Amino acid sequence: MGSYFAKNTSEYGMSSEFETESEEEDLEIKLTILRDAMIHLRVQFLHFQSVYKQSEADLIENDVKALKIIVMVVQNRIEELKSIAVEYTELKNMEVVRQKIEDFDYVVTQVVMEIREFERDNFLIEKLEKLINKLNPFDVPNLQNLDQKTPIHPKEMIKSVMNNDSKKYQEQLKKEKVQSEEENEIRHDNSKILSGHRKIYKIFRKPVVLLVNYLEDSCTLKAMQILNENQIDYSIFDVSTDAEVRLIVKYLSDCETFPQLFVKGNFEKLAGIDSLIETLPKLYVSEP
């Protein structure tokens, strides 16, 4: 870890610049994990919010449990960053990172307390919503653009954004290459094809299924927002976690991209989701 290198640079003649780069990469990975966890938290809260006013207690209870779990995950990620922050003393603006983590920790503590109020029948969904909104994934520090002491020239800012977009694009290409290789192996293995079909059968037991490939995708979040706002009873499956399912779904829909919406086992184009809404099953029926 960073602390080990810092104590032994003179012994091995290693440059501090190399160590700093290694520390930055290590910390950036941990910050990215926190960012992803906070995205999942917002998604889970949207789902909880959509079923909060319905009358089936069991359904609300299950969503509260799921919300508690993802809150705990975010809390653990923050605690981990707090506990190891001392290892990154050589990094610039480490104090800024540490303060931001402390701010997140304070808000998460309030979120936990507010969820506990739900069990005491003293719960305000509006208050929890405000707290969740404070946990903005885009506020998680990015070490590449963290230097707040020196104003960034507009040209440098544009260059930085373009470089980040390029890196994201390259990472996406790598992920797609890995997925393609996984799917090619499955195409020549009948046992895996059959396994994929069995899994799909179980997934499609739910009338409405949204299949996604990485939850942080903006198109996915938009589709979920539409379904949540209309109180649609649906389930989500992330195909990035299962190559067999991913391949079979592509065969069924004749579509290579995600997200994909299936209604009663039939592929429906998201472009026509507005006309579908009225026909989709609701989580609850509002009282007249």
Short mmCIF file of all heavy atoms in Angstrom, two decimals, residues 17-72:
data_model
loop_
_atom_site.label_atom_id
_atom_site.label_comp_id
_atom_site.label_asym_id
_atom_site.label_seq_id
_atom_site.Cartn_x
_atom_site.Cartn_y
_atom_site.Cartn_z
N GLU A 17 7.63 10.13 -7.51
CA GLU A 17 6.62 10.35 -8.53
C GLU A 17 5.91 9.05 -8.88
O GLU A 17 4.69 9.01 -9.04
CB GLU A 17 7.28 10.92 -9.78
CG GLU A 17 6.28 11.23 -10.90
CD GLU A 17 6.96 11.82 -12.12
OE1 GLU A 17 8.16 12.08 -12.06
OE2 GLU A 17 6.25 12.00 -13.13
N PHE A 18 6.70 7.96 -8.98
CA PHE A 18 6.10 6.65 -9.28
C PHE A 18 5.15 6.23 -8.18
O PHE A 18 4.06 5.72 -8.42
CB PHE A 18 7.21 5.62 -9.45
CG PHE A 18 6.70 4.21 -9.59
CD1 PHE A 18 6.20 3.75 -10.80
CD2 PHE A 18 6.69 3.34 -8.49
CE1 PHE A 18 5.72 2.46 -10.92
CE2 PHE A 18 6.21 2.05 -8.62
CZ PHE A 18 5.72 1.61 -9.83
N GLU A 19 5.59 6.45 -6.92
CA GLU A 19 4.75 6.05 -5.78
C GLU A 19 3.45 6.84 -5.75
O GLU A 19 2.38 6.30 -5.47
CB GLU A 19 5.52 6.26 -4.48
CG GLU A 19 6.73 5.34 -4.35
CD GLU A 19 7.78 5.95 -3.45
OE1 GLU A 19 7.43 6.90 -2.72
OE2 GLU A 19 8.92 5.49 -3.48
N THR A 20 3.56 8.15 -6.03
CA THR A 20 2.37 8.99 -6.01
C THR A 20 1.37 8.55 -7.06
O THR A 20 0.17 8.49 -6.81
CB THR A 20 2.76 10.47 -6.24
OG1 THR A 20 3.70 10.87 -5.25
CG2 THR A 20 1.54 11.37 -6.18
N GLU A 21 1.88 8.20 -8.26
CA GLU A 21 1.00 7.72 -9.31
C GLU A 21 0.29 6.43 -8.89
O GLU A 21 -0.89 6.23 -9.16
CB GLU A 21 1.79 7.49 -10.60
CG GLU A 21 2.25 8.77 -11.27
CD GLU A 21 3.08 8.52 -12.50
OE1 GLU A 21 3.35 7.33 -12.78
OE2 GLU A 21 3.47 9.48 -13.18
N SER A 22 1.05 5.54 -8.20
CA SER A 22 0.48 4.29 -7.73
C SER A 22 -0.59 4.55 -6.68
O SER A 22 -1.65 3.93 -6.67
CB SER A 22 1.59 3.41 -7.15
OG SER A 22 1.05 2.22 -6.63
N GLU A 23 -0.32 5.50 -5.78
CA GLU A 23 -1.29 5.85 -4.74
C GLU A 23 -2.55 6.45 -5.36
O GLU A 23 -3.67 6.14 -4.94
CB GLU A 23 -0.67 6.84 -3.76
CG GLU A 23 0.35 6.23 -2.81
CD GLU A 23 0.87 7.26 -1.83
OE1 GLU A 23 0.92 8.45 -2.19
OE2 GLU A 23 1.24 6.87 -0.71
N GLU A 24 -2.36 7.33 -6.34
CA GLU A 24 -3.50 7.96 -7.00
C GLU A 24 -4.40 6.92 -7.67
O GLU A 24 -5.62 6.98 -7.56
CB GLU A 24 -3.01 8.97 -8.04
CG GLU A 24 -2.50 10.26 -7.44
CD GLU A 24 -2.13 11.26 -8.52
OE1 GLU A 24 -2.13 10.89 -9.71
OE2 GLU A 24 -1.83 12.41 -8.16
N GLU A 25 -3.78 5.96 -8.35
CA GLU A 25 -4.55 4.92 -9.02
C GLU A 25 -5.32 4.07 -8.02
O GLU A 25 -6.49 3.76 -8.23
CB GLU A 25 -3.60 4.02 -9.83
CG GLU A 25 -4.33 2.95 -10.63
CD GLU A 25 -3.40 2.10 -11.46
OE1 GLU A 25 -2.18 2.39 -11.48
OE2 GLU A 25 -3.88 1.14 -12.10
N ASP A 26 -4.66 3.74 -6.90
CA ASP A 26 -5.31 2.93 -5.86
C ASP A 26 -6.49 3.67 -5.25
O ASP A 26 -7.58 3.11 -5.09
CB ASP A 26 -4.27 2.60 -4.79
CG ASP A 26 -4.83 1.68 -3.72
OD1 ASP A 26 -5.38 0.62 -4.08
OD2 ASP A 26 -4.73 2.02 -2.53
N LEU A 27 -6.30 4.95 -4.92
CA LEU A 27 -7.37 5.73 -4.30
C LEU A 27 -8.50 5.98 -5.29
O LEU A 27 -9.68 5.95 -4.91
CB LEU A 27 -6.82 7.06 -3.79
CG LEU A 27 -7.83 7.98 -3.08
CD1 LEU A 27 -8.50 7.27 -1.91
CD2 LEU A 27 -7.16 9.27 -2.62
N GLU A 28 -8.16 6.22 -6.56
CA GLU A 28 -9.19 6.46 -7.57
C GLU A 28 -10.11 5.26 -7.73
O GLU A 28 -11.33 5.39 -7.92
CB GLU A 28 -8.54 6.80 -8.91
CG GLU A 28 -9.52 7.26 -9.98
CD GLU A 28 -10.21 8.57 -9.61
OE1 GLU A 28 -9.53 9.59 -9.47
OE2 GLU A 28 -11.45 8.54 -9.45
N ILE A 29 -9.55 4.06 -7.63
CA ILE A 29 -10.35 2.83 -7.71
C ILE A 29 -11.34 2.78 -6.56
O ILE A 29 -12.53 2.48 -6.74
CB ILE A 29 -9.45 1.58 -7.69
CG1 ILE A 29 -8.67 1.48 -9.01
CG2 ILE A 29 -10.28 0.31 -7.48
CD1 ILE A 29 -7.63 0.38 -9.02
N LYS A 30 -10.86 3.10 -5.35
CA LYS A 30 -11.74 3.06 -4.17
C LYS A 30 -12.82 4.13 -4.25
O LYS A 30 -13.96 3.92 -3.83
CB LYS A 30 -10.89 3.23 -2.91
CG LYS A 30 -9.99 2.04 -2.61
CD LYS A 30 -9.13 2.27 -1.39
CE LYS A 30 -8.40 0.98 -0.98
NZ LYS A 30 -7.51 0.48 -2.03
N LEU A 31 -12.48 5.31 -4.79
CA LEU A 31 -13.48 6.36 -4.96
C LEU A 31 -14.51 5.97 -6.02
O LEU A 31 -15.70 6.28 -5.88
CB LEU A 31 -12.79 7.67 -5.36
CG LEU A 31 -11.96 8.34 -4.27
CD1 LEU A 31 -11.16 9.50 -4.85
CD2 LEU A 31 -12.83 8.83 -3.12
N THR A 32 -14.07 5.27 -7.06
CA THR A 32 -14.99 4.80 -8.10
C THR A 32 -15.97 3.78 -7.53
O THR A 32 -17.16 3.79 -7.86
CB THR A 32 -14.21 4.16 -9.27
OG1 THR A 32 -13.34 5.14 -9.84
CG2 THR A 32 -15.16 3.64 -10.34
N ILE A 33 -15.48 2.90 -6.65
CA ILE A 33 -16.35 1.92 -6.00
C ILE A 33 -17.41 2.62 -5.16
O ILE A 33 -18.59 2.24 -5.16
CB ILE A 33 -15.52 0.95 -5.13
CG1 ILE A 33 -14.63 0.07 -6.02
CG2 ILE A 33 -16.43 0.08 -4.27
CD1 ILE A 33 -13.65 -0.78 -5.26
N LEU A 34 -16.99 3.68 -4.44
CA LEU A 34 -17.95 4.46 -3.65
C LEU A 34 -18.97 5.13 -4.56
O LEU A 34 -20.17 5.12 -4.28
CB LEU A 34 -17.21 5.52 -2.83
CG LEU A 34 -18.10 6.54 -2.09
CD1 LEU A 34 -19.02 5.84 -1.10
CD2 LEU A 34 -17.26 7.60 -1.39
N ARG A 35 -18.49 5.69 -5.67
CA ARG A 35 -19.37 6.36 -6.62
C ARG A 35 -20.43 5.39 -7.17
O ARG A 35 -21.62 5.71 -7.24
CB ARG A 35 -18.53 6.94 -7.76
CG ARG A 35 -19.28 7.91 -8.67
CD ARG A 35 -18.35 8.50 -9.73
NE ARG A 35 -17.26 9.25 -9.15
CZ ARG A 35 -15.97 8.91 -9.23
NH1 ARG A 35 -15.61 7.81 -9.88
NH2 ARG A 35 -15.04 9.66 -8.67
N ASP A 36 -20.00 4.19 -7.52
CA ASP A 36 -20.94 3.18 -8.04
C ASP A 36 -21.98 2.78 -6.98
O ASP A 36 -23.15 2.60 -7.29
CB ASP A 36 -20.18 1.94 -8.51
CG ASP A 36 -19.39 2.18 -9.78
OD1 ASP A 36 -19.65 3.21 -10.44
OD2 ASP A 36 -18.52 1.37 -10.12
N ALA A 37 -21.50 2.63 -5.74
CA ALA A 37 -22.41 2.26 -4.65
C ALA A 37 -23.47 3.35 -4.44
O ALA A 37 -24.64 3.05 -4.19
CB ALA A 37 -21.63 2.02 -3.36
N MET A 38 -23.06 4.62 -4.57
CA MET A 38 -24.00 5.72 -4.38
C MET A 38 -25.01 5.79 -5.54
O MET A 38 -26.17 6.18 -5.35
CB MET A 38 -23.24 7.03 -4.23
CG MET A 38 -22.56 7.14 -2.87
SD MET A 38 -21.39 8.51 -2.70
CE MET A 38 -22.43 9.93 -2.90
N ILE A 39 -24.59 5.40 -6.73
CA ILE A 39 -25.51 5.32 -7.87
C ILE A 39 -26.58 4.26 -7.59
O ILE A 39 -27.78 4.49 -7.77
CB ILE A 39 -24.75 4.99 -9.17
CG1 ILE A 39 -23.92 6.20 -9.62
CG2 ILE A 39 -25.73 4.59 -10.28
CD1 ILE A 39 -22.99 5.93 -10.76
N HIS A 40 -26.14 3.10 -7.10
CA HIS A 40 -27.08 2.02 -6.77
C HIS A 40 -28.03 2.45 -5.65
O HIS A 40 -29.20 2.06 -5.64
CB HIS A 40 -26.31 0.76 -6.37
CG HIS A 40 -25.74 0.01 -7.52
ND1 HIS A 40 -26.41 -1.02 -8.15
CD2 HIS A 40 -24.57 0.14 -8.19
CE1 HIS A 40 -25.69 -1.49 -9.14
NE2 HIS A 40 -24.57 -0.80 -9.19
N LEU A 41 -27.53 3.25 -4.71
CA LEU A 41 -28.37 3.74 -3.62
C LEU A 41 -29.49 4.62 -4.18
O LEU A 41 -30.66 4.49 -3.78
CB LEU A 41 -27.53 4.54 -2.62
CG LEU A 41 -28.31 5.29 -1.53
CD1 LEU A 41 -29.16 4.33 -0.70
CD2 LEU A 41 -27.35 6.07 -0.63
N ARG A 42 -29.16 5.51 -5.11
CA ARG A 42 -30.17 6.38 -5.70
C ARG A 42 -31.21 5.57 -6.48
O ARG A 42 -32.41 5.87 -6.43
CB ARG A 42 -29.50 7.42 -6.61
CG ARG A 42 -28.66 8.43 -5.84
CD ARG A 42 -27.87 9.31 -6.77
NE ARG A 42 -28.69 10.32 -7.39
CZ ARG A 42 -29.00 11.49 -6.84
NH1 ARG A 42 -28.57 11.79 -5.62
NH2 ARG A 42 -29.73 12.37 -7.48
N VAL A 43 -30.74 4.55 -7.20
CA VAL A 43 -31.65 3.70 -7.95
C VAL A 43 -32.61 2.97 -7.00
O VAL A 43 -33.82 2.90 -7.22
CB VAL A 43 -30.86 2.68 -8.80
CG1 VAL A 43 -31.80 1.62 -9.39
CG2 VAL A 43 -30.11 3.38 -9.93
N GLN A 44 -32.05 2.42 -5.91
CA GLN A 44 -32.87 1.69 -4.95
C GLN A 44 -33.87 2.60 -4.26
O GLN A 44 -35.02 2.22 -4.01
CB GLN A 44 -31.98 1.01 -3.90
CG GLN A 44 -32.73 0.14 -2.91
CD GLN A 44 -33.51 -0.96 -3.61
OE1 GLN A 44 -32.94 -1.69 -4.42
NE2 GLN A 44 -34.79 -1.09 -3.31
N PHE A 45 -33.46 3.85 -3.97
CA PHE A 45 -34.38 4.78 -3.33
C PHE A 45 -35.53 5.14 -4.27
O PHE A 45 -36.68 5.25 -3.84
CB PHE A 45 -33.66 6.06 -2.91
CG PHE A 45 -34.60 7.10 -2.35
CD1 PHE A 45 -35.20 6.92 -1.11
CD2 PHE A 45 -34.93 8.23 -3.09
CE1 PHE A 45 -36.10 7.86 -0.61
CE2 PHE A 45 -35.82 9.17 -2.60
CZ PHE A 45 -36.40 8.98 -1.36
N LEU A 46 -35.23 5.31 -5.57
CA LEU A 46 -36.28 5.59 -6.55
C LEU A 46 -37.32 4.47 -6.54
O LEU A 46 -38.53 4.72 -6.61
CB LEU A 46 -35.68 5.74 -7.94
CG LEU A 46 -35.04 7.09 -8.29
CD1 LEU A 46 -34.33 7.01 -9.63
CD2 LEU A 46 -36.08 8.20 -8.31
N HIS A 47 -36.83 3.24 -6.46
CA HIS A 47 -37.75 2.10 -6.45
C HIS A 47 -38.57 2.10 -5.16
O HIS A 47 -39.78 1.87 -5.18
CB HIS A 47 -36.95 0.80 -6.57
CG HIS A 47 -37.79 -0.38 -6.94
ND1 HIS A 47 -38.42 -1.16 -6.00
CD2 HIS A 47 -38.15 -0.89 -8.14
CE1 HIS A 47 -39.10 -2.11 -6.59
NE2 HIS A 47 -38.97 -1.97 -7.89
N PHE A 48 -37.92 2.35 -4.02
CA PHE A 48 -38.62 2.40 -2.74
C PHE A 48 -39.67 3.51 -2.75
O PHE A 48 -40.81 3.33 -2.31
CB PHE A 48 -37.62 2.64 -1.61
CG PHE A 48 -38.25 3.02 -0.31
CD1 PHE A 48 -38.91 2.08 0.46
CD2 PHE A 48 -38.20 4.34 0.15
CE1 PHE A 48 -39.51 2.44 1.67
CE2 PHE A 48 -38.79 4.70 1.34
CZ PHE A 48 -39.45 3.75 2.11
N GLN A 49 -39.29 4.66 -3.31
CA GLN A 49 -40.20 5.80 -3.36
C GLN A 49 -41.46 5.49 -4.16
O GLN A 49 -42.55 5.94 -3.81
CB GLN A 49 -39.45 6.99 -3.98
CG GLN A 49 -40.12 8.34 -3.80
CD GLN A 49 -39.26 9.45 -4.34
OE1 GLN A 49 -38.53 9.28 -5.31
NE2 GLN A 49 -39.31 10.61 -3.70
N SER A 50 -41.30 4.68 -5.21
CA SER A 50 -42.43 4.37 -6.08
C SER A 50 -43.46 3.45 -5.42
O SER A 50 -44.62 3.44 -5.81
CB SER A 50 -41.92 3.73 -7.38
OG SER A 50 -41.43 2.43 -7.15
N VAL A 51 -43.04 2.68 -4.41
CA VAL A 51 -43.98 1.75 -3.77
C VAL A 51 -44.39 2.20 -2.37
O VAL A 51 -45.20 1.55 -1.72
CB VAL A 51 -43.36 0.33 -3.66
CG1 VAL A 51 -42.96 -0.18 -5.01
CG2 VAL A 51 -42.17 0.30 -2.70
N TYR A 52 -43.86 3.34 -1.93
CA TYR A 52 -44.06 3.75 -0.54
C TYR A 52 -45.52 3.94 -0.16
O TYR A 52 -45.95 3.56 0.93
CB TYR A 52 -43.29 5.05 -0.27
CG TYR A 52 -43.57 5.65 1.09
CD1 TYR A 52 -43.22 4.96 2.26
CD2 TYR A 52 -44.21 6.88 1.20
CE1 TYR A 52 -43.49 5.50 3.50
CE2 TYR A 52 -44.48 7.41 2.44
CZ TYR A 52 -44.13 6.72 3.58
OH TYR A 52 -44.39 7.25 4.81
N LYS A 53 -46.32 4.50 -1.09
CA LYS A 53 -47.71 4.83 -0.74
C LYS A 53 -48.69 3.68 -0.97
O LYS A 53 -49.88 3.83 -0.70
CB LYS A 53 -48.17 6.05 -1.54
CG LYS A 53 -47.42 7.32 -1.15
CD LYS A 53 -47.95 8.51 -1.95
CE LYS A 53 -47.21 9.78 -1.56
NZ LYS A 53 -47.71 10.95 -2.32
N GLN A 54 -48.19 2.57 -1.48
CA GLN A 54 -49.12 1.47 -1.72
C GLN A 54 -49.48 0.76 -0.42
O GLN A 54 -48.87 1.00 0.62
CB GLN A 54 -48.53 0.51 -2.76
CG GLN A 54 -47.21 -0.12 -2.34
CD GLN A 54 -47.42 -1.37 -1.53
OE1 GLN A 54 -48.24 -2.19 -1.88
NE2 GLN A 54 -46.69 -1.51 -0.46
N SER A 55 -50.47 -0.12 -0.48
CA SER A 55 -51.05 -0.65 0.76
C SER A 55 -50.52 -2.01 1.17
O SER A 55 -50.87 -2.49 2.24
CB SER A 55 -52.58 -0.73 0.60
OG SER A 55 -52.90 -1.54 -0.52
N GLU A 56 -49.69 -2.66 0.33
CA GLU A 56 -49.21 -3.99 0.68
C GLU A 56 -47.97 -3.88 1.57
O GLU A 56 -46.89 -3.55 1.11
CB GLU A 56 -48.89 -4.78 -0.59
CG GLU A 56 -50.11 -5.07 -1.44
CD GLU A 56 -49.74 -5.86 -2.68
OE1 GLU A 56 -48.74 -6.59 -2.63
OE2 GLU A 56 -50.45 -5.73 -3.69
N ALA A 57 -48.15 -4.18 2.84
CA ALA A 57 -47.08 -4.00 3.82
C ALA A 57 -45.85 -4.84 3.50
O ALA A 57 -44.71 -4.40 3.69
CB ALA A 57 -47.60 -4.34 5.22
N ASP A 58 -46.07 -6.06 3.01
CA ASP A 58 -44.95 -6.95 2.71
C ASP A 58 -44.04 -6.37 1.65
O ASP A 58 -42.82 -6.46 1.73
CB ASP A 58 -45.45 -8.32 2.25
CG ASP A 58 -46.12 -9.09 3.38
OD1 ASP A 58 -45.88 -8.72 4.55
OD2 ASP A 58 -46.86 -10.05 3.10
N LEU A 59 -44.63 -5.75 0.64
CA LEU A 59 -43.85 -5.17 -0.46
C LEU A 59 -43.01 -4.00 0.04
O LEU A 59 -41.83 -3.87 -0.30
CB LEU A 59 -44.79 -4.70 -1.57
CG LEU A 59 -44.15 -4.32 -2.90
CD1 LEU A 59 -43.36 -5.49 -3.48
CD2 LEU A 59 -45.21 -3.87 -3.89
N ILE A 60 -43.60 -3.15 0.88
CA ILE A 60 -42.87 -2.02 1.44
C ILE A 60 -41.73 -2.52 2.32
O ILE A 60 -40.61 -2.01 2.26
CB ILE A 60 -43.80 -1.12 2.28
CG1 ILE A 60 -44.89 -0.53 1.40
CG2 ILE A 60 -43.01 0.00 2.94
CD1 ILE A 60 -45.88 0.33 2.14
N GLU A 61 -42.02 -3.53 3.12
CA GLU A 61 -41.00 -4.08 4.02
C GLU A 61 -39.80 -4.62 3.24
O GLU A 61 -38.66 -4.41 3.62
CB GLU A 61 -41.60 -5.19 4.88
CG GLU A 61 -40.65 -5.72 5.94
CD GLU A 61 -41.29 -6.79 6.81
OE1 GLU A 61 -42.53 -6.93 6.76
OE2 GLU A 61 -40.54 -7.47 7.53
N ASN A 62 -40.06 -5.30 2.14
CA ASN A 62 -38.97 -5.84 1.32
C ASN A 62 -38.11 -4.72 0.73
O ASN A 62 -36.89 -4.81 0.67
CB ASN A 62 -39.53 -6.71 0.19
CG ASN A 62 -40.07 -8.03 0.70
OD1 ASN A 62 -39.67 -8.51 1.77
ND2 ASN A 62 -40.98 -8.62 -0.03
N ASP A 63 -38.78 -3.63 0.29
CA ASP A 63 -38.03 -2.52 -0.27
C ASP A 63 -37.22 -1.79 0.79
O ASP A 63 -36.13 -1.30 0.51
CB ASP A 63 -38.99 -1.54 -0.97
CG ASP A 63 -39.12 -1.85 -2.45
OD1 ASP A 63 -39.88 -2.75 -2.80
OD2 ASP A 63 -38.42 -1.21 -3.25
N VAL A 64 -37.74 -1.71 2.00
CA VAL A 64 -36.98 -1.10 3.10
C VAL A 64 -35.74 -1.92 3.39
O VAL A 64 -34.65 -1.38 3.61
CB VAL A 64 -37.87 -0.98 4.37
CG1 VAL A 64 -37.01 -0.56 5.55
CG2 VAL A 64 -38.98 0.02 4.15
N LYS A 65 -35.89 -3.24 3.39
CA LYS A 65 -34.74 -4.13 3.62
C LYS A 65 -33.67 -3.92 2.55
O LYS A 65 -32.47 -3.82 2.86
CB LYS A 65 -35.18 -5.59 3.64
CG LYS A 65 -35.97 -5.99 4.87
CD LYS A 65 -36.40 -7.45 4.80
CE LYS A 65 -37.21 -7.86 6.02
NZ LYS A 65 -37.68 -9.26 5.94
N ALA A 66 -34.11 -3.84 1.28
CA ALA A 66 -33.16 -3.63 0.18
C ALA A 66 -32.48 -2.28 0.31
O ALA A 66 -31.27 -2.16 0.07
CB ALA A 66 -33.90 -3.73 -1.16
N LEU A 67 -33.24 -1.26 0.73
CA LEU A 67 -32.66 0.07 0.92
C LEU A 67 -31.63 0.07 2.04
O LEU A 67 -30.56 0.67 1.93
CB LEU A 67 -33.78 1.07 1.22
CG LEU A 67 -33.39 2.55 1.26
CD1 LEU A 67 -32.85 2.99 -0.09
CD2 LEU A 67 -34.59 3.40 1.65
N LYS A 68 -31.95 -0.64 3.12
CA LYS A 68 -31.01 -0.74 4.25
C LYS A 68 -29.70 -1.39 3.82
O LYS A 68 -28.61 -0.97 4.23
CB LYS A 68 -31.64 -1.56 5.39
CG LYS A 68 -32.68 -0.82 6.20
CD LYS A 68 -33.20 -1.73 7.30
CE LYS A 68 -34.24 -1.03 8.16
NZ LYS A 68 -34.76 -1.90 9.23
N ILE A 69 -29.80 -2.41 2.97
CA ILE A 69 -28.60 -3.13 2.53
C ILE A 69 -27.68 -2.22 1.74
O ILE A 69 -26.47 -2.16 1.99
CB ILE A 69 -28.99 -4.37 1.70
CG1 ILE A 69 -29.65 -5.42 2.60
CG2 ILE A 69 -27.78 -4.97 1.00
CD1 ILE A 69 -30.25 -6.59 1.86
N ILE A 70 -28.24 -1.49 0.76
CA ILE A 70 -27.39 -0.63 -0.07
C ILE A 70 -26.85 0.55 0.73
O ILE A 70 -25.73 1.01 0.50
CB ILE A 70 -28.13 -0.16 -1.35
CG1 ILE A 70 -27.15 0.53 -2.30
CG2 ILE A 70 -29.28 0.73 -1.02
CD1 ILE A 70 -26.00 -0.32 -2.76
N VAL A 71 -27.63 1.04 1.71
CA VAL A 71 -27.12 2.10 2.60
C VAL A 71 -25.92 1.57 3.38
O VAL A 71 -24.91 2.26 3.56
CB VAL A 71 -28.22 2.59 3.56
CG1 VAL A 71 -27.61 3.45 4.67
CG2 VAL A 71 -29.26 3.39 2.80
N MET A 72 -26.03 0.33 3.86
CA MET A 72 -24.94 -0.28 4.60
C MET A 72 -23.70 -0.44 3.72
O MET A 72 -22.56 -0.22 4.18
CB MET A 72 -25.36 -1.65 5.14
CG MET A 72 -24.29 -2.34 5.98
SD MET A 72 -24.88 -3.91 6.66
CE MET A 72 -25.09 -4.87 5.15
#
